[in-house]
């Protein structure tokens, strides 16, 4: 049902031509930051081929520098930035596409999960999406207690299988990828204590800078959740930007610690991808979700 509705909405948007109007007029001086998670190379290759025909793919650094300088003169019209969250092991398979199109996406990684056999808490099997959404709204200690109780999950527990990129893979792709921190264990920051929040933000920056011997000026909030407190901590920690999951485009006036994004479904066919670039399906979904608590699209 959900797939059917997604496809119908995407087809209607593409038939209406609104995706072309938005691209040609609205995106002239706005930059989209696309967010992926664990997309497959067959899907991603089609998206990037489409983007390379109709848009210019720029780095996050370029966008953030322009926002800080309040000068978009060096930003091509219809620019997009590619970001991929969490550090999923499958991201290594995208390397040939990064190379083919000479793009440098930003990979926001959880620094205490990469290069280990620890698991992402939100990938625990046997828990419904609704249960996971509930967990996201619990104080951090309570969320961890509930995960231990229901799934025997612990953030530092080592599992037989690996979910995240390891150091060999990261070194293989580092020339084509901009690695940046996404906390250590992916808690929901506003539900953490201030000490936990500082540890997750500062700790992840220090972890990644040490592991890869790089500078890490960009951050993305897990699940896109942040408050004034997180903005202050990120800014105090020496970051130059932070990406949220607020849907929209970025302009000269966008606050650098509240960068907007366009979330892309990891399995989106080309027609849904073109529709999602308009942000209409995501906004519709959010609206329906707020009214009926269901994910329609
Ligand atoms: Zn994430």
């Amino acid at each position: 049902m959900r797939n059917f509705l997604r496809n119908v909405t995407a087809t209607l948007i593409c038939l209406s031509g609104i995706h072309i109007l938005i691209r040609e007029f609205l995106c002239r001086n706005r930059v989209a930051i696309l967010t992926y998670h664990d997309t497959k190379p067959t899907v991603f290759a089609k998206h990037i081929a489409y983007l390379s025909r109709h848009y210019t793919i720029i780095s996050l650094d370029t966008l953030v520098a322009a926002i800080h300088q309040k000068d978009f003169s060096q930003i091509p019209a219809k620019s997009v930035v590619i970001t991929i969250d969490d550090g999923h092991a499958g991201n290594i398979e995208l390397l040939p596409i990064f190379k083919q199109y000479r793009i440098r996406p930003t990979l926001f990684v959880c620094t205490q999960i990469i290069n280990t056999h620890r698991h992402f808490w939100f990938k625990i099997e046997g828990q419904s999406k609704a249960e996971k959404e509930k967990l996201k709204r619990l104080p951090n200690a309570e969320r961890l207690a509930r995960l231990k109780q229901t799934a025997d999950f612990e953030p530092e527990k080592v599992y037989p299988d690996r979910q995240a990129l390891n150091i060999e893979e990261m070194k293989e792709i580092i020339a084509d990828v901009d690695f940046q921190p996404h906390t250590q264990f992916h808690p929901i920051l506003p539900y953490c204590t201030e000490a936990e929040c500082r540890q997750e933000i500062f700790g992840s920056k220090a972890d990644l800078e040490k592991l890869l011997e790089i500078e890490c000026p960009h951050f993305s909030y897990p699940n896109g959740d942040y408050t004034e407190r997180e903005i202050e901590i990120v800014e105090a920690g020496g970051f130059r930007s932070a990406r949220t999951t607020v849907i929209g485009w970025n302009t000269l006036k966008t606050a650098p610690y509240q960068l907007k994004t366009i979330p892309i479904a990891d399995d989106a066919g080309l027609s849904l991808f073109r529709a999602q670039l308009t942000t209409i399906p995501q906004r519709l979904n959010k609206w329906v979700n707020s009214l009926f608590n269901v994910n329609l699209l």
Side-chain angles (χ1 to χ4, degrees):
M1 180 65 176
R2 191 174 169 215
N3 267 348
F4 173 74
L5 283 172
R6 271 186 5 168
N7 290 338
V8 168
T9 314
T11 308
L12 285 175
I13 290 169
C14 293
L15 281 175
S16 72
I18 196 164
H19 65 297
I20 299 171
L21 289 176
I22 287 179
R23 182 180 78 216
E24 297 303 323
F25 296 103
L26 197 92
C27 296
R28 291 239 146 249
N29 46 14
R30 289 162 205 243
V31 179
I33 303 178
L34 309 189
T35 300
Y36 289 88
H37 292 87
D38 195 9
T39 186
K40 296 277 171 285
T42 44
V43 174
F44 189 68
K46 287 181 190 150
H47 295 188
I48 301 300
Y50 176 82
L51 289 175
S52 67
R53 280 199 302 277
H54 299 287
Y55 292 83
T56 303
I57 302 174
I58 63 170
S59 70
L60 181 63
D61 253 344
T62 305
L63 170 64
V64 171
I67 288 175
H68 277 286
Q69 287 156 15
K70 302 233 174 294
D71 177 8
F72 263 30
S73 61
Q74 300 303 310
I75 303 282
K78 297 181 281 180
S79 283
V80 296
V81 172
I82 309 286
T83 62
I84 305 175
D85 277 11
D86 306 329
H88 298 276
N91 293 166
I92 184 76
E93 293 170 34
L94 307 176
L95 178 61
I97 304 162
F98 304 156
K99 283 187 184 295
Q100 183 184 348
Y101 291 95
R102 293 187 186 159
I103 59 172
R104 191 172 165 79
T106 293
L107 264 63
F108 287 111
V109 299
C110 297
T111 61
Q112 286 292 325
I113 302 181
I114 51 164
N115 203 29
T116 72
H117 278 228
R118 293 170 181 163
H119 276 183
F120 294 107
W121 72 265
F122 51 84
K123 284 181 104 174
I124 289 171
E125 284 173 15
Q127 269 180 332
S128 69
K129 212 171 170 188
E131 283 168 329
K132 284 179 187 164
E133 288 305 313
K134 265 190 212 159
L135 287 170
K136 289 178 187 173
R137 302 290 165 250
L138 292 178
N140 198 44
E142 208 175 308
R143 177 182 61 86
L144 292 173
R146 197 75 67 89
L147 283 166
K148 173 72 183 156
Q149 197 180 45
T150 55
D152 195 27
F153 174 89
E154 285 172 77
E156 295 186 36
K157 184 169 165 182
V158 172
Y159 291 80
D161 61 318
R162 175 167 64 88
Q163 292 185 336
L165 293 166
N166 66 21
I167 187 67
E168 290 77 26
E169 290 164 337
M170 294 176 82
K171 287 199 167 152
E172 193 184 335
I173 60 176
I174 197 165
D176 300 278
V177 156
D178 169 33
F179 282 108
Q180 300 293 336
H182 185 45
T183 68
Q184 293 181 312
F185 291 101
H186 210 285
I188 308 300
L189 292 172
Y191 293 89
C192 291
T193 63
E194 177 147 354
E196 287 168 337
C197 192
R198 286 178 181 276
Q199 175 59 35
E200 287 282 348
I201 295 172
F202 298 161
S204 65
K205 189 177 198 293
D207 286 345
L208 200 57
E209 290 185 337
K210 190 174 169 208
L211 182 71
L212 297 175
E213 297 175 345
I214 55 171
E215 270 187 46
C216 296
H218 308 295
F219 183 76
S220 81
Y221 304 103
N223 203 47
D225 292 320
Y226 68 98
T227 63
E228 282 300 321
R229 181 186 74 177
E230 283 71 39
I231 295 176
E232 277 172 27
I233 295 175
V234 167
E235 197 169 354
F239 288 96
R240 285 178 59 74
S241 84
R243 204 213 63 219
T244 69
T245 52
V246 175
I247 297 166
W249 289 268
N250 298 284
T251 69
L252 267 187
K253 291 183 180 157
T254 303
Y257 300 100
Q258 294 175 79
L259 296 178
K260 293 178 182 173
T261 192
I262 300 183
I264 301 294
D266 281 335
D267 60 349
L270 198 51
S271 143
L272 178 61
F273 176 62
R274 284 188 297 186
Q276 288 194 325
L277 289 176
T278 69
T279 73
I280 294 169
Q282 297 94 320
R283 289 180 203 270
L284 264 176
N285 193 45
K286 216 171 169 185
W287 179 66
V288 172
N289 190 284
S290 68
L291 288 178
F292 307 108
N293 203 21
V294 287
N295 280 312
L296 199 59
L297 297 172

